[in-house]
Amino acid sequence: MTLTPEQIQSNWDQLLGYIDTYITGDRKDALLAFYKKYEERIALMPAAHKKEYHNAFPGGYVDHVNRVIECALKVNEVWKQMGVDDSTYTTEELVFSALNHDLGKMGDEENESYVPQTDQWRKDKLGEDYMFNNKLPFSSVPDRGLFLLQSHGVSYTFNEMVAIQTHDGLYDEANKKYLMAYMPEQKPRTSLLYIVHQADLMAARIEFEREWLPKFKTTESKDNNFTLDKSPTKKPTTKADRKKKTLANIGTKNGKMNSVIDDFFA
């Protein structure tokens, strides 16, 4: 997928609009200053490095973040209708968490996370239009995002910290300590993190469908030479088939063993 310069600019304006509408106090100014400082980089970032992932194209990151915010606001309404205790979090915390959930993909002050792929084979065969910048020290995306915020004077609440940390749900092993607790006192005291995770999951799935489902409906895509596999489907084996094969193998082994025994005694 390709966004026009006008679409990229419109998405960027929408992102700043969310900050202006939902974020309050001194941190609104700090957050706006941060995003405007890195405007060119963030506005043109992909959301991923590989075509098979979501929004791996210039401007894909902001497009994804805006969708996560929209999904979060709508999913939140469903949770409230179903009886969630929404006194445990605020709408500002919801939007702040959705807005910054993937901020660590930006990189650091000096280095971008994703740079154009230089290996043509990986680009052609693996769909990797981007590669990870090896000048950047390793960090998980949530950890780097939270570090960027605090290092630029943007404060966040405990709720926001946990929601950003766990936005990938149990797809990230590191989140088990938050999401797989069995004692009541160890479970999250708010549903904010579940709402943000569901919003992110929904947005990523929609972006996958938008990019890939049309390609599954055709035999070949001119964009990336995607070809459907037309080879005949292998007929699944039945229990009877497996039993016949097992008996045949046993018979073969027994025949060989009998031959060996006969030779021995002969």
Side-chain angles (χ1 to χ4, degrees):
M1 183 173 177
T2 302
L3 297 179
T4 66
E6 292 76 19
Q7 288 173 315
I8 291 174
Q9 183 62 54
S10 176
N11 285 342
W12 181 252
D13 293 340
Q14 184 180 4
L15 183 143
L16 295 182
Y18 283 128
I19 298 175
D20 190 57
T21 302
Y22 291 99
I23 309 304
T24 61
D26 293 339
R27 73 172 182 167
K28 173 195 282 191
D29 296 332
L31 203 55
L32 285 171
F34 171 81
Y35 274 93
K36 289 178 180 179
K37 180 178 180 179
Y38 297 103
E39 175 176 354
E40 183 174 345
R41 190 201 298 189
I42 298 175
L44 296 175
M45 278 170 50
H49 77 289
K50 193 173 183 178
K51 289 178 182 178
E52 283 74 12
Y53 301 157
H54 61 97
N55 278 24
F57 50 80
Y61 174 81
V62 173
D63 180 78
H64 171 69
V65 169
N66 286 344
R67 186 169 292 102
V68 173
I69 296 172
E70 294 170 28
C71 289
L73 291 168
K74 293 182 183 299
V75 170
N76 184 50
E77 289 303 313
V78 175
W79 276 72
K80 289 198 293 185
Q81 290 170 14
M82 297 307 296
V84 73
D85 183 357
D86 61 344
S87 69
T88 61
Y89 62 93
T90 66
T91 302
E92 179 172 349
E93 288 179 319
L94 176 69
V95 173
F96 184 94
S97 303
L99 170 70
N100 298 296
H101 77 282
D102 265 347
L103 183 61
K105 290 183 177 180
M106 179 191 118
D108 61 19
E109 290 85 348
E110 305 298 329
N111 302 290
E112 302 177 48
S113 283
Y114 302 133
V115 294
Q117 178 61 262
T118 57
D119 187 326
Q120 193 62 39
W121 185 90
R122 297 188 69 87
K123 187 173 182 179
D124 294 340
K125 302 300 182 182
L126 303 180
E128 295 180 0
D129 289 336
Y130 299 87
M131 61 182 182
F132 293 106
N133 188 351
N134 58 19
K135 294 181 180 178
L136 194 66
F138 171 78
S139 171
S140 70
V141 169
D143 287 346
R144 193 185 303 282
L146 291 169
F147 178 81
L148 283 167
L149 290 172
Q150 64 88 22
S151 65
H152 287 80
V154 180
S155 61
Y156 45 82
T157 67
F158 180 84
N159 276 352
E160 291 163 348
M161 179 194 72
V162 176
I164 291 172
Q165 284 278 10
T166 61
H167 74 267
D168 276 329
L170 289 174
Y171 289 102
D172 186 342
E173 290 280 330
N175 294 334
K176 285 186 175 181
K177 59 183 177 290
Y178 288 106
L179 303 177
M180 290 188 67
Y182 298 103
M183 299 299 291
E185 63 271 18
Q186 294 179 331
K187 291 180 180 292
R189 306 293 174 90
T190 176
S191 291
L192 174 66
L193 61 167
Y194 301 105
I195 297 171
V196 172
H197 170 55
Q198 289 183 358
D200 185 33
L201 184 66
M202 180 186 294
R205 174 63 196 185
I206 290 168
E207 289 154 11
F208 164 80
E209 291 187 356
R210 180 181 63 176
E211 177 74 18
W212 286 97
L213 290 192
K215 296 173 183 174
F216 294 149
K217 296 176 183 178
T218 60
T219 57
E220 185 176 12
S221 167
K222 295 180 181 179
D223 292 334
N224 61 358
N225 294 323
F226 176 84
T227 304
L228 291 179
D229 183 7
K230 289 190 173 182
S231 58
T233 303
K234 186 178 180 180
K235 185 179 179 181
T237 58
T238 64
K239 186 175 181 180
D241 292 335
R242 292 194 296 271
K243 184 176 181 181
K244 288 179 182 178
K245 187 175 180 180
T246 300
L247 291 174
N249 289 337
I250 291 173
T252 300
K253 292 177 181 177
N254 285 344
K256 290 180 180 179
M257 180 58 68
N258 289 338
S259 177
V260 171
I261 293 173
D262 291 341
D263 290 343
F264 175 79
F265 284 105

